[in-house]
Amino acid sequence: KALGPNDRAVASPLTGLAALYHDQGKFAEADPFYRRALAIEQRTLGPDNPNTSEVALGLAANYYAWGRPELAEPLYDLRMKVFAREFASGSGYMSERDRLAFLHSVPGVYPLYFSFIYTNPSRPGLAGKMYDLLIGERGITAGLSADLRARLFATGDRQALGLFDQ
């Protein structure tokens, strides 16, 4: 009551309650809590914020488990778009090890999305989205590594280049 029903501090407990219902297989009960939390996050942080997209991922997973792929797909798309932007914006200053650690810091994102795609082969364009995502992620990682190696080579510092190659 003190914060009001649409305060950002309310979104996290709503998400937790939704996740509890989801884990119990009560997808219909989880739905309004996820949707309310997502609306609060979108209104307070914006649709492209990583926190907002995490709630969207929870709602997408709920729709996926509930057998409603038409509702899950745009939410997965949102999360993957935000995740790709997060990765691209931060990976320029990360080492390859840091980039791989970042990709592993969100272990549920890729497997859950790929599972969704695999179990919905009749949905047009999903296989292409998965392919684009994989190629894009690998391309960013490889391109940044090549760029860093070229910059080290240009310095003439053979020791630094040797360390990079290791």
Side-chain angles (χ1 to χ4, degrees):
K1 287 182 178 181
L3 299 173
N6 295 314
D7 189 275
R8 180 152 187 280
V10 175
S12 181
L14 288 172
T15 302
L17 184 56
L20 177 66
Y21 280 129
H22 173 88
D23 291 345
Q24 294 174 344
K26 298 177 180 178
F27 309 121
E29 287 89 342
D31 182 56
F33 294 108
Y34 271 128
R35 284 187 293 113
R36 184 170 162 211
L38 182 59
I40 291 170
E41 295 287 29
Q42 287 176 328
R43 189 172 36 261
T44 58
L45 298 174
D48 293 334
N49 183 279
N51 291 340
T52 303
S53 72
E54 276 298 311
V55 177
L57 180 64
L59 182 56
N62 193 63
Y63 285 142
Y64 172 33
W66 195 4
R68 302 181 76 180
E70 72 284 355
L71 297 174
E73 186 175 348
L75 296 165
Y76 277 121
D77 290 346
L78 171 66
R79 178 59 183 132
M80 299 316 290
K81 180 183 85 170
V82 172
F83 181 74
R85 194 177 57 250
E86 278 182 276
F87 181 68
S89 70
S91 60
Y93 61 85
M94 295 178 187
S95 67
E96 184 173 356
R97 182 178 296 176
D98 291 338
R99 287 190 293 272
L100 293 173
F102 176 79
L103 290 173
H104 293 297
S105 71
V106 283
V109 173
Y110 284 128
L112 185 60
Y113 186 59
F114 293 162
S115 174
F116 171 74
I117 290 170
Y118 182 77
T119 58
N120 290 283
S122 62
R123 296 203 56 79
L126 277 182
K129 289 179 184 179
M130 182 170 71
Y131 178 80
D132 291 345
L133 183 67
L134 286 170
I135 295 299
E137 179 251 321
R138 298 294 179 223
I140 289 170
T141 301
L144 291 169
S145 291
D147 182 51
L148 181 56
R149 189 176 196 295
R151 285 187 283 159
L152 282 172
F153 185 78
T155 68
D157 186 342
R158 295 213 181 274
Q159 184 180 9
L161 191 57
L163 289 172
F164 176 80
D165 287 339
Q166 282 181 342

